Amino acid sequence: IIKHTKKPLNIFILTADLQKYNQNYQPITQDDVVFLNKILKQENINSNATLITLDENFENWIMNSANKLSSYTPFAFLRLFADKVDIPDKIICLDTDIMLNGDISELFNTDISNYDMGVVLDRYGKIFIKPNYFNSGVLLMNMPKIKQNHLLENVRNLCSKKKMFFPDQDALNKLCNNKLYLPRKFNEQGNPKKDTIIQHFSKRIVWFPFHTINIKPWDIQNVHKKYKIHNYDDIYEDRKSVV
């Protein structure tokens, strides 16, 4: 993000401690955020990262949810509690498997004053599920509207009761009627195009022979070998000097 956006960034990192259920469900720590703040402030001293650890209410909710066991980490549900924490009125909610190809402020400056959210169509969902099915990996969220319409509360309730294949994403698609569809460049789920701002490394389908692949941006070798993507090589090189 800071490669392309030089304005002050106010970043909120949602986490929870679920290690007593699975030792791999480790929370992001304050030490991690100190490290991130060091990097942020090298570009702009006014940028800041804040850690928000959800309390036992999230733990109780996820453990009693119909979707507590799925192919997705329970941390994917953290975004559904954005109305319960102290964050600004307008936020961009990002999955961790994204990379930036342009200035994210272009997305942030999109007017959604009359909408709950700005969303981008899902690459495969729009074909196999329904034409207006959107992807939840990048969401531009209008928190006052969301709270007024009880959107996240209703989504949490649905996820608690009904088992779904793409739990939070399916629930958001079912219940979010007040949304603005945004250009694909803000959530490109294939290889980056010339105008791509955000690339989302979501699961892909290979048609011949038919199979799926799920390469994440931190799997540098396969980003190069299988996707032939070299847009982030300078970032990968920078990474070596800070980790």
Side-chain angles (χ1 to χ4, degrees):
I1 295 174
I2 61 177
K3 173 184 173 181
H4 301 283
T5 305
K6 303 307 177 184
K7 297 176 182 178
L9 296 166
N10 198 14
I11 296 175
F12 298 87
I13 302 167
L14 300 181
T15 193
D17 189 348
L18 300 175
Q19 291 180 91
K20 68 181 180 182
Y21 302 102
N22 186 321
Q23 64 180 3
N24 293 320
Y25 293 163
Q26 299 179 30
I28 296 171
T29 69
Q30 192 58 48
D31 286 343
D32 297 326
V33 177
V34 168
F35 172 72
L36 292 172
N37 265 314
K38 180 181 178 181
I39 296 172
L40 282 170
K41 293 180 183 297
Q42 287 175 356
E43 287 295 333
N44 191 313
I45 193 64
N46 294 314
S47 291
N48 190 60
T50 301
L51 183 66
I52 299 177
T53 303
L54 271 69
D55 60 18
E56 64 272 8
N57 288 327
F58 173 75
E59 177 185 331
N60 293 335
W61 179 85
I62 190 66
M63 287 305 121
N64 290 293
S65 169
N67 294 281
K68 69 178 179 180
L69 297 176
S70 74
S71 59
Y72 296 91
T73 164
F75 296 114
F77 293 101
L78 287 168
R79 77 193 87 194
L80 302 184
F81 288 77
D83 60 340
K84 296 294 187 181
V85 298
D86 185 17
I87 53 176
D89 286 347
K90 187 179 186 183
I91 61 168
I92 298 172
C93 182
L94 298 172
D95 279 358
T96 57
D97 55 348
I98 63 102
M99 295 290 275
L100 270 288
N101 281 276
D103 189 346
I104 201 170
S105 61
E106 184 178 341
L107 171 59
F108 188 78
N109 292 334
T110 302
D111 182 12
I112 57 164
S113 54
N114 294 319
Y115 301 92
D116 289 349
M117 297 192 304
V119 301
V120 177
L121 288 172
D122 187 81
R123 185 183 188 189
Y124 301 115
K126 66 183 180 182
I127 300 171
F128 297 112
I129 301 176
K130 60 181 180 178
N132 63 348
Y133 187 88
F134 62 86
N135 183 277
S136 64
V138 179
L139 301 172
L140 181 61
M141 304 176 76
N142 180 346
M143 295 311 302
K145 279 281 188 185
I146 284 173
K147 292 175 183 178
Q148 177 185 335
N149 295 330
H150 304 285
L151 174 61
L152 293 183
E153 179 183 348
N154 293 334
V155 169
R156 289 195 298 269
N157 288 337
L158 180 58
C159 287
S160 290
K161 299 172 184 176
K162 184 179 180 180
K163 182 75 172 176
M164 291 170 282
F165 193 76
F166 304 111
D168 65 308
Q169 184 169 277
D170 284 348
L172 283 166
N173 270 275
K174 183 176 180 61
L175 296 173
C176 184
N177 298 314
N178 186 31
K179 53 189 174 288
L180 175 67
Y181 284 97
L182 303 171
R184 188 175 71 175
K185 66 181 180 179
F186 293 126
N187 186 352
E188 174 56 65
Q189 296 144 54
N191 278 18
K193 312 299 187 294
K194 287 184 178 180
D195 65 343
T196 296
I197 302 294
I198 299 173
Q199 182 183 356
H200 183 190
F201 283 77
S202 53
K203 186 178 292 186
R204 300 191 192 185
I205 293 174
V206 178
W207 298 103
F208 302 104
F210 183 85
H211 64 283
T212 61
I213 52 175
N214 196 16
I215 297 169
K216 299 305 181 184
W218 47 85
D219 183 0
I220 300 172
Q221 182 177 353
N222 280 319
V223 168
H224 289 158
K225 183 178 179 181
K226 295 189 176 180
Y227 285 168
K228 313 298 183 186
I229 294 175
H230 291 271
N231 296 50
Y232 314 111
D233 286 1
D234 58 334
I235 296 172
Y236 292 148
E237 285 299 315
D238 285 344
R239 175 180 176 271
K240 295 177 182 178
S241 66
V242 296
V243 296

